[in-house]
Amino acid sequence: MASAFSVRRALRPLGFAGAAAALCALAPSANAQFNNQWVSFTKTAGKIVSPLVPVTENATEVDVHWGDLDKDGWTDLVAVRKQDFTSTGKRVNLLLMNENGVLTDRTQLYAAATDVPGDQGFVTPTNDRDVQIADFDNDGWLDFVTATTLSDGDPKHIGHPRVYMNRGNDGSGNWLGMRFENARFPQLFSFSNGSAQNPRFCSVAFGDVTGNGFNDLYFGDYDSSGAGGAGQPAGADMNNRLLINNGAGFYADQSQARMNPTMLNSAFGAASEMHDMNGNGLIDVIKQTSLNPPQHVAVVYNNPANPGFFNIYQDFHVFAPYHIDVNDLNNDGRMDIIVSDDNADRFRLNTATDALGRVVWGNALQFNFLTGGDLGFASNNLIVDLNNDGWNDALIADVDVDIGGYSRRLNIYHNLLTTPGGTPTLREERQSSSSTGWLGAVGITQNDLGGTHDIAVFDLDNDGDKDLFVFRRLTSEVFISNVDPIVCQENLGFGGPGSTTLAVCGQPLSAGNSATLTVANAPAASPMWLILGLSQTNIPILGGTLVTVPVATLGAATNGAGQFVAPVNGSGNPADLFVQALVFDPAQAQSFQISNGIRIDFQ
């Protein structure tokens, strides 16, 4: 990320001190005391309506993912469910559509369609352990896929991952919902004896490893029986799998052709991710394996000399890891990692890339507590900016996917870092050393956190801040963020070519307030420029439209997730600044993607 100094230097020739100060980095100072009210939530009932079955209920594991499925501007949620822990028990899944800020169960209406006679889509009980939402056929509508486990002897359409395709709108603009299409996913066969088997997948990740623009899939498998799980028959261990998208949303198992056996081997593969870890523009795979050897977290690197095929395996983190999430923790443009562990949870910083193209990882760092310490077994985790200050925080749920027990709780960690590229302190804030009072964030108590399977963080009510969803043993709770007011600066439109978007959202930009400039949906690890101006125009350029009269440019680069994030500070001097992003993309006819333009109102 560009430094605050480089932003000021780009603007100084304008003689525009107000805008210069406004784009300086701003973040709160570290506070090691109790009652640091860094973010506030209000627990709010009635935000989830689920008459089919409760989202969470006794003896049921829940895993979630979210996205705007019907393209109405409101984020929806998909919840997959199974009997808790290592078990064969099946449950129905749920499609919760966001209807003006209320997650409403529309499973039977919008997720029961199927191409398998007698099947009922999401209403058919399955043993699902993970779900991911992405566009598989590049039609502009989000689809999703489940990861199924422990379904020995069931038919293929029950025991294999199930791909649900978005049917889009009808001719009158009415959304048609989702449809399970069995033919999208192939029958899998044992590597050892060639027999047709149902996998025991515990995780799924998506990303375009071949560079053809279509999302591929990587699944984490487990063959360890765990606590009470049935042992696999001889020859039934499926190992991890890499499924390649044919460009139309149909998948082929090309695991052995593109990865060696080490890259596909897992004992208990509870978590998988796909990101560009070394900044070379290619999607790599990050895999976890534990319980029995092999027991580590590893990066499987995409070969730049032969994209889509993998040539380096780096197992960089040991201990007893079970779940991972990948994102930038210190705003240096590199993808870092948090790891849920059977002992102390940890995180590592991505500090550099060596001559072989491997990440140079920092030390395994532990989370920070004002009192007490790590509680032991943990599960799903998430890196996300909870308070819209431009720095990613971390959440780690507690209910293990294998070993029974609900005696622990969710941890919420505040990122106190203020200097890009530094080493963050990720602290569990609390009101006091007492077990009463708020814990993790203002408005949340210890009683709200116990026995958490999974968490979600997104803007439920479209007010510009992020709300928190906690899926616990017996209840699903919604915490509405109080970061308001959140204002997104005026979108001038004219984005394209390409998918790059630009937004400036945060507080109204008067003196002492701040917002965050975000470039998203851009090519990963690509050079980019912010075009800055003091007035508006419409100039055809590079296959798109420039909507600002340029007087300065700021050079930067997108990170491995195709994003660029920078703080914008209120100046106290009323003025307008017009901003647009250009991102280098050799796949475009004129080698650039152009974002929409934004008018920033300094009040």
Side-chain angles (χ1 to χ4, degrees):
M1 177 187 294
S3 68
F5 170 75
S6 67
V7 178
R8 289 196 297 270
R9 182 176 60 194
L11 289 171
R12 188 172 291 123
L14 308 180
F16 195 57
L23 287 176
C24 296
L26 179 70
S29 61
N31 186 339
Q33 305 302 314
F34 291 110
N35 204 29
N36 177 14
Q37 299 186 22
W38 66 289
V39 67
S40 170
F41 294 93
T42 299
K43 184 162 68 170
T44 307
K47 294 298 183 180
I48 298 179
V49 178
S50 181
L52 179 63
V53 294
V55 181
T56 48
E57 57 185 335
N58 192 35
T60 299
E61 175 188 333
V62 178
D63 293 270
V64 299
H65 204 209
W66 51 95
D68 183 5
L69 294 169
D70 57 357
K71 295 175 71 170
D72 67 348
W74 298 79
T75 302
D76 312 303
L77 184 133
V78 177
V80 295
R81 306 160 72 254
K82 65 178 292 296
Q83 183 183 356
D84 50 3
F85 312 121
T86 297
S87 62
T88 59
K90 300 176 176 65
R91 301 285 190 269
V92 300
N93 297 325
L94 293 173
L95 174 63
L96 300 174
M97 303 303 296
N98 189 337
E99 299 179 355
N100 296 313
V102 177
L103 292 178
T104 304
D105 179 7
R106 299 299 184 195
T107 308
Q108 292 174 311
L109 180 61
Y110 289 129
T114 177
D115 63 359
V116 177
D119 191 82
Q120 299 181 76
F122 250 29
V123 185
T124 297
T126 49
N127 198 5
D128 292 320
R129 189 147 247 174
D130 197 8
V131 60
Q132 291 291 312
I133 299 174
D135 186 355
F136 299 143
D137 56 359
N138 285 11
D139 65 350
W141 295 86
L142 292 174
D143 314 300
F144 53 80
V145 61
T146 65
T148 49
T149 189
L150 283 171
S151 300
D152 299 351
D154 286 325
K156 182 254 181 185
H157 74 276
I158 297 294
H160 273 55
R162 289 162 63 101
V163 176
Y164 289 79
M165 302 301 295
N166 198 319
R167 302 166 68 191
N169 285 343
D170 64 16
S172 300
N174 301 305
W175 188 54
L176 297 173
M178 312 298 298
R179 183 173 186 257
F180 166 47
E181 299 185 5
N182 188 40
R184 297 274 178 179
F185 199 94
Q187 171 68 55
L188 298 180
F189 299 90
S190 168
F191 291 155
S192 60
N193 62 17
S195 62
Q197 300 284 345
N198 285 329
R200 293 185 174 183
F201 291 149
C202 200
S203 59
V204 57
F206 65 87
D208 175 18
V209 303
T210 65
N212 70 347
F214 288 81
N215 281 305
D216 308 301
L217 300 172
Y218 185 86
F219 291 86
D221 170 76
Y222 64 96
D223 55 277
S224 303
S225 61
Q232 285 185 284
D237 178 16
M238 302 298 283
N239 288 322
N240 293 8
R241 297 292 173 121
L242 177 65
L243 278 292
I244 300 299
N245 192 324
N246 73 344
F250 289 84
Y251 287 91
D253 182 10
Q254 298 183 16
S255 307
Q256 291 180 299
R258 296 174 181 268
M259 290 183 169
N260 65 39
T262 299
M263 299 171 180
L264 298 169
N265 186 27
S266 284
F268 205 115
S272 306
E273 294 283 333
M274 297 174 78
H275 299 276
D276 178 7
M277 298 303 295
N278 53 10
N280 67 353
L282 299 176
I283 296 297
D284 309 303
V285 171
I286 309 93
K287 53 169 281 196
Q288 161 278 340
T289 170
S290 201
L291 189 62
N292 298 314
Q295 184 162 305
H296 57 240
V297 180
V299 181
V300 190
Y301 290 98
N302 205 329
N303 185 359
N306 192 12
F309 295 81
F310 295 77
N311 64 332
I312 296 177
Y313 189 83
Q314 180 192 36
D315 53 331
F316 66 93
H317 183 92
V318 288
F319 306 103
Y322 270 84
H323 287 264
I324 57 176
D325 197 28
V326 174
N327 211 322
D328 189 355
L329 289 170
N330 62 351
N331 285 358
D332 65 351
R334 294 180 173 274
M335 303 301 282
D336 310 306
I337 190 168
I338 62 173
V339 184
S340 303
D341 198 281
D342 276 358
N343 296 301
D345 303 325
R346 296 173 171 87
F347 64 96
R348 287 182 184 265
L349 299 180
N350 178 342
T351 66
T353 304
D354 69 15
L356 296 178
R358 302 172 301 186
V359 171
V360 178
W361 291 100
N363 293 331
L365 304 173
Q366 295 188 25
F367 295 87
N368 185 271
F369 299 88
L370 292 172
T371 187
D374 196 284
L375 300 172
F377 287 9
S379 60
N380 292 307
N381 53 32
L382 183 65
I383 300 175
V384 65
D385 180 5
L386 275 176
N387 61 341
N388 284 1
D389 67 347
W391 298 87
N392 279 320
D393 311 297
L395 301 94
I396 300 182
D398 61 285
V399 179
D400 189 84
V401 297
D402 182 35
I403 305 296
Y406 290 94
S407 60
R408 300 171 301 276
R409 60 172 171 81
L410 170 71
N411 291 114
I412 302 172
Y413 297 105
H414 174 206
N415 189 341
L416 280 76
L417 189 61
T418 61
T419 304
T423 299
T425 297
L426 295 175
R427 172 172 297 154
E428 183 182 64
E429 305 281 11
R430 58 193 304 152
Q431 185 172 355
S432 68
S433 60
S434 169
S435 60
T436 62
W438 64 263
L439 177 60
V442 178
I444 301 175
T445 69
Q446 181 167 296
N447 291 335
D448 298 322
L449 303 173
T452 299
H453 287 285
D454 205 357
I455 63 270
V457 177
F458 60 86
D459 186 0
L460 175 69
D461 48 11
N462 276 3
D463 66 347
D465 52 16
K466 302 180 186 73
D467 306 305
L468 172 64
F469 307 79
V470 181
F471 299 94
R472 300 170 57 204
R473 179 185 185 184
L474 296 176
T475 185
S476 303
E477 294 181 323
V478 180
F479 298 87
I480 299 298
S481 175
N482 299 319
V483 175
D484 298 337
I486 297 296
V487 172
C488 288
Q489 299 291 318
E490 182 182 357
N491 183 359
L492 302 176
F494 294 98
S499 58
T500 297
T501 59
L502 175 64
V504 178
C505 295
Q507 297 170 315
L509 287 172
S510 55
N513 287 348
S514 64
T516 300
L517 182 150
T518 304
V519 175
N521 304 312
S526 290
M528 61 161 280
W529 293 264
L530 292 177
I531 310 301
L532 308 172
L534 305 179
S535 59
Q536 182 181 352
T537 187
N538 294 323
I539 303 173
I541 184 174
L542 300 173
T545 301
L546 191 65
V547 299
T548 178
V549 178
V551 292
T553 61
L554 170 64
T558 62
N559 63 20
Q563 299 175 341
F564 170 80
V565 180
V568 179
N569 293 348
S571 67
N573 296 320
D576 290 342
L577 183 68
F578 297 84
V579 184
Q580 198 165 10
L582 274 66
V583 184
F584 179 67
D585 180 5
Q588 299 296 325
Q590 299 192 50
S591 299
F592 284 91
Q593 293 196 21
I594 303 178
S595 79
N596 55 295
I598 296 293
R599 172 183 171 270
I600 303 178
D601 176 19
F602 294 105
Q603 300 178 5

